[in-house]
Amino acid sequence: MELKGEHIFLTGASKGIGAGIAHSLLEAGATLSLHYNSGVGDLAKAISEHPGAAHQLVQANFEDIGVIQELFGQVIGFQSPLNTLILNAGVFIPHEPGMAPETWWEIWQKTMRINLDACGLLTKLALDHFMENGGGRIIYIGSRAAFRGETSAYLAYAASKGGVTSLARSVARSFGKYGVKSFVVAPGFTRTPMAEPFIKQAGEEKILEELALNELTEPKDIAPLIRFICSGQMDHATGTTIDVNAGSYMH
C-alpha cells in the first residue's frame, strides 16, 4: 500500500495510536502534516527511521479552539490539495461521580473541547477544502466506548466518542456527492501511554478477560487499517465503523 503523492494530515501523532499510524504512513511514502501538543514523544523515533520522508510537524493545543483555523491554514500551505484528514487527538481523563461538581464539570468540558469540539471544527475546515478540490477522506479514530459505554469514571470520554461517531456518519451521508468519504475506526482497549494508568489500576489480566484474543491490541494492530483506508481502496465503505477490539464484543 504505497501512498506516494497522498497528502495526509494526522492529529495526535506524538504517541500511542497516532505515533503508530504516523510510522506506517511515513513508511508508505505519504506527504504528512503531523500534529502534536506538548512534545513529539514517540513520533521522533518514527521520523528518524524514515529519513527524507516529506513531512512537517505542527503544534497546537486543541483546548484553544482559536488556534485550529491557523493550524489548518499551515497544513494547506504545506500540502494542497489535502487528500485525507485523520482525527486521532484525544484525552482519556477520569472524573468519578463523587468529585466536586466544579471539578467534574471542568474535566467534562476539557474532554469535549479536545475530543469533540476540535474534531468538529477541523471537520468543517476540511469539508470546505474538499468541496473546492474534488473530495477527500476523513478518518475518525473513535472508540468501542461509543457503542457499549464506559466505566463510571469516563462518562465524558464515552460521550465525546459517541458524538464523533454520529458526526462521521453525517459527513458520509451529507457530503458523499461532493466526493467526501468518511470512516470511523473504533479501537477497543489499546496498549498506549494514555491507557497505561488504567492498565496499572485494573490489572492487565482483568482487561484480557474481556477479549477473545490472548493479548491487548497495540497501535501496530490499528495502523495498517488506516493506511489501507488512505489508499482509497475502501472508499465505497464510506459511512462505516470498523471495530478493532480483539473480539471484546463477544465477551
Side-chain angles (χ1 to χ4, degrees), residues 56-122:
Q56 70 165 344
L57 297 176
V58 290
Q59 189 277 333
N61 179 355
F62 281 177
E63 284 191 80
D64 183 355
I65 300 301
V67 308
I68 291 179
Q69 191 166 353
E70 180 181 344
L71 173 72
F72 194 80
Q74 187 178 347
V75 169
I76 297 306
F78 175 70
Q79 49 182 168
S80 184
L82 187 67
N83 302 116
T84 303
L85 167 64
I86 306 170
L87 293 166
N88 170 70
V91 292
F92 185 67
I93 308 171
H95 57 143
E96 292 283 2
M99 281 182 169
E102 296 79 9
T103 305
W104 189 95
W105 180 239
E106 182 180 336
I107 296 172
W108 175 280
Q109 289 185 307
K110 177 185 177 77
T111 301
M112 291 299 171
R113 282 195 299 270
I114 296 172
N115 291 12
L116 187 56
D117 294 348
C119 186
L121 182 51
L122 282 167

Side-chain angles (χ1 to χ4, degrees), residues 8 31 51 64 66-67 84 90 96 98 112 114 123 128 137-138 147 191 200 214 219 222 248:
I8 301 169
T31 299
D64 183 355
V67 308
T84 303
E96 292 283 2
M112 291 299 171
I114 296 172
T123 294
D128 289 346
R137 299 174 199 89
I138 306 179
F147 306 97
R191 191 190 298 279
K200 288 181 179 178
N214 291 321
I222 299 167
S248 60

